[in-house]
Amino acid sequence: MESPKIAQKSPIVMDCEPGTYYWCSCGQSSKQPFCDGSHKGTDFTPVKQEITEAKKVAWCACKHGNNMPFCDGSHKNL
């Protein structure tokens, strides 16, 4: 299995409205933290995430966390 590209070593924090989001798991998307299809031809697929209420979300950008698609602080060990 390929290793994901580290998009950045800190979370991407944003206000999110209710809806369906597709989080980039490969790290290659130019629309971080969301998928833009850059994973095509790799073993990676986007992670579908339903947000049910408006809230601030800390999306994982290091792509090496244990609570993906959300940041768990794993970037501190990279």
Side-chain angles (χ1 to χ4, degrees), residues 3-58:
S3 290
K5 176 184 171 192
I6 298 170
Q8 67 183 45
K9 290 185 178 180
S10 61
I12 298 172
V13 180
M14 59 178 45
D15 293 318
C16 292
E17 294 298 320
T20 303
Y21 295 83
Y22 290 89
W23 175 79
C24 166
S25 65
C26 72
Q28 297 181 55
S29 174
S30 63
K31 297 182 179 185
Q32 291 295 329
F34 306 117
C35 179
D36 69 358
S38 294
H39 64 276
K40 288 184 172 72
T42 72
D43 293 332
F44 295 98
T45 58
V47 174
K48 181 180 178 181
Q49 183 64 50
E50 296 287 337
I51 302 292
T52 58
E53 61 186 39
K55 63 182 176 179
K56 190 172 293 288
V57 176

Side-chain angles (χ1 to χ4, degrees), residues 4-10 59-65 74-75 78:
K5 176 184 171 192
I6 298 170
Q8 67 183 45
K9 290 185 178 180
S10 61
W59 299 98
C60 175
C62 76
K63 314 301 178 180
H64 288 78
S74 292
H75 59 272
L78 296 175

